[in-house]
Amino acid sequence: MRSHWPVIIIGGGAAGLYLSGLMEDCLLLEKRSSCGLKLRLTGGGACNLAHEGSPDDFSRHFHEKRAFVAAVAQAHPTMAIRQHFKSLGVDTITREDGKVFPRSGRSQDVVDALLSAAKDVITDCKVEEISKGGIFTVKTTKGIFTSDRLVIATGGMSVPSTGSEGDGYALAASFGHKIIPVKPALCRIKLADRLDDVEGITVPDMSFTLDGHIWRGPVLFTRTGISGPAVMNASRFVEKGMPISLHFAAVDSATIRAQAGKKKALGAIQAVTGLPSRLVQALLPPDVLDKQVASLSKNDMKTITGTLADWKTTCSTEGELPYATVTRGGVDTKDIKRKTMESRLVEGLYIIGECLDVDGECGGYNLSFAFMGAHAVASSIRKAHPLPAPQDQRS
Ligand SMILES: Cc1cc2nc3c(=O)[nH]c(=O)nc-3n(C[C@H](O)[C@H](O)[C@H](O)COP(=O)(O)OP(=O)(O)OC[C@H]3O[C@@H](n4cnc5c(N)ncnc54)[C@H](O)[C@@H]3O)c2cc1C
């Protein structure tokens, strides 16, 4: 294997593999024994690789990084990603909710297609140190390589068994890049006050208030807190000890009283809210739930309606990073050119994918951002080194 390359890519995940397939001549270095380990887990093994919609819609799902993401989304929109996969033999379908998956429903097909297009790959090869004189020097567990251009595509810090252990932060920092502190995103939220025996219950449609916003959707109760799409999207905003209010049901006392008959409070509440009895029992005191509706006092009613409308506690996402879907934080985007993903600090250095301080919502946005960044790097390098015109190739 030669030691000098025009381009070296560090990391064989979504971004690195996609880029390798777009380049003419490059070396990809992957520290695990196979590439795309995280990619295989995506979308529950089905790989939600993109989301239907315009580039503008797309970038709206990236919070404060909307403007940063917009340029790469314009240059390589969802349709282009789908076409690229089609050219690799992976047909895609769009679900009713706009999420795009491989038609086969198998993330392994996406990994295999990307691998088949990838150029030279060395696995079990961890990059330990990078430096630049005139060219880049890349020290790895399998020797030293050099390159004209270097791409860091090492991912974030979630699910570290897939190889994403935050190595890219130290590598980028060694070139002077600022690292925004990392925290989990798209993860469960832990609640300070535990609700007993509610694990596994899903409320199909409820809202909660966090960080001044109201979030709505199905909420799943876990051993330590809550999960579900809205919870995951909200999780990036959680700071330790932040107040959270869960709005189970808006119900007034007259509606409960109308259930009087022979019903006890528990039955009446279930009848008017549709909430499972285990959840109602976890929220409200047993002596109140056991009363006949007719004998509920004003105070009892206040407890019932107040708790169901606005159950307050505090929350955190501490310790969730290894289990999160993505990492918030990473290489500061202020030092990255948004059209090319090239470093403003080091010419010829590029940083793409989740290693950057960019995190999108659930729905295929994070994989797409990894692919879009890869495309931006490939275009930038191709512009700097255009392929010879056909007549030049003949001569
Ligand atoms: C369970 C799960 C499900 C997900 N589902 C979806 C989904 O359906 N849709 C979606 O859009 N997003 C999803 N995501 C998020 C998405 O997978 C990531 O955002 C995306 O993989 C990031 O791509 P990346 O290339 O930046 O990093 P990664 O895919 O994490 O790849 C980084 C690679 O770099 C390698 N590496 C790291 N350090 C070194 C080093 N020093 N030397 C050599 N190699 C190194 C790693 O081994 C790894 O292979 C999911 C994430 C998880 C955890």
Side-chain angles (χ1 to χ4, degrees):
M1 171 85 49
R2 67 192 214 247
S3 65
H4 184 80
W5 294 79
V7 179
I8 289 181
I9 304 165
I10 310 173
L17 282 174
Y18 200 89
L19 174 59
S20 177
L22 296 173
M23 301 303 303
E24 295 302 316
D25 187 17
C26 68
L27 174 64
L28 189 152
L29 304 172
E30 165 56 47
K31 77 173 177 189
R32 287 285 185 259
S33 53
S34 42
C35 293
L37 288 181
K38 187 175 281 181
L39 201 44
R40 271 174 227 183
L41 303 179
T42 57
C47 188
N48 174 201
L49 56 87
H51 203 103
E52 210 46 76
S54 70
D56 246 11
D57 291 336
F58 179 84
S59 35
R60 236 175 263 140
H61 294 271
F62 284 84
H63 316 287
E64 68 284 351
K65 291 301 161 75
R66 182 177 172 175
F68 182 80
V69 169
V72 288
Q74 285 287 350
H76 196 59
T78 299
M79 187 43 75
I81 291 174
R82 296 183 71 169
Q83 271 161 3
H84 182 68
F85 277 108
K86 194 173 174 58
S87 76
L88 299 180
V90 178
D91 265 347
T92 52
I93 50 154
T94 307
R95 276 187 0 188
E96 252 174 38
D97 57 6
K99 292 179 179 174
V100 177
F101 291 86
R103 185 178 292 280
S104 68
R106 282 167 34 98
S107 54
Q108 186 65 51
D109 293 349
V110 173
V111 177
D112 291 345
L114 289 173
L115 267 173
S116 69
K119 305 300 174 310
D120 292 86
V121 177
I122 307 182
T123 53
D124 287 316
C125 181
K126 179 180 176 181
V127 173
E128 296 182 313
E129 214 180 300
I130 52 178
S131 58
K132 190 181 183 195
I135 55 172
F136 289 97
T137 300
V138 181
K139 280 193 191 155
T140 80
T141 46
K142 284 196 170 169
I144 294 180
F145 300 91
T146 57
S147 65
D148 302 322
R149 283 149 203 277
L150 184 61
V151 186
I152 299 178
T154 47
M157 282 191 77
S158 73
V159 195
S161 57
T162 60
S164 321
E165 294 170 296
D167 298 5
Y169 307 144
L171 297 175
S174 72
F175 277 129
H177 276 279
K178 182 179 165 196
I179 309 301
I180 306 296
V182 296
K183 54 187 283 199
L186 300 186
C187 66
R188 304 173 289 200
I189 295 179
K190 288 180 184 166
L191 301 177
D193 292 296
R194 297 276 167 88
L195 290 169
D196 288 334
D197 197 26
V198 294
E199 190 177 352
I201 290 177
T202 300
V203 180
D205 183 27
M206 64 173 275
S207 61
F208 58 93
T209 304
L210 179 84
D211 197 29
H213 296 275
I214 296 178
W215 307 80
R216 180 157 216 117
V219 171
L220 166 71
F221 287 83
T222 67
R223 194 176 54 77
T224 54
I226 49 174
S227 189
V231 172
M232 290 175 83
N233 283 332
S235 63
R236 75 187 295 279
F237 299 102
V238 171
E239 300 291 346
K240 193 178 175 198
M242 189 178 257
I244 184 169
S245 302
L246 271 55
H247 314 304
F248 291 96
V251 53
D252 57 23
S253 50
T255 313
I256 295 174
R257 292 226 187 271
Q259 296 290 317
K262 283 184 188 144
K263 274 200 184 115
K264 288 190 173 179
L266 174 61
I269 293 166
Q270 270 189 274
V272 296
T273 62
L275 292 170
S277 61
R278 263 202 294 146
L279 182 57
V280 178
Q281 283 167 315
L283 286 167
L284 290 160
D287 56 322
V288 172
L289 293 178
D290 218 30
K291 284 185 185 172
Q292 295 293 327
V293 172
S295 55
L296 287 170
S297 68
K298 257 192 182 169
N299 252 352
D300 291 336
M301 273 303 181
K302 227 170 129 185
T303 305
I304 294 169
T305 54
T307 305
L308 294 178
D310 203 16
W311 185 76
K312 291 182 196 313
T313 182
T314 58
C315 63
S316 90
T317 55
E318 246 192 357
E320 288 296 316
L321 188 50
Y323 317 102
T325 308
V326 292
T327 307
R328 181 178 177 180
V331 176
D332 193 346
T333 53
K334 285 203 180 86
D335 294 323
I336 303 294
K337 297 178 193 168
R338 59 180 68 174
K339 282 193 178 160
T340 60
M341 299 284 134
E342 189 175 9
S343 162
R344 292 185 193 280
L345 310 182
V346 183
E347 200 185 340
L349 177 70
Y350 298 81
I351 305 176
I352 53 175
E354 209 180 303
C355 186
L356 290 169
D357 175 27
V358 175
D359 59 288
E361 292 180 351
C362 286
Y365 299 102
N366 290 290
L367 281 177
S368 282
F369 175 68
F371 302 147
M372 289 167 177
H375 177 266
V377 174
S379 306
S380 160
I381 293 176
R382 258 190 247 120
K383 261 184 212 147
H385 291 288
L387 284 175
Q391 61 270 38
D392 298 338
Q393 285 175 339
R394 276 198 306 271
S395 62

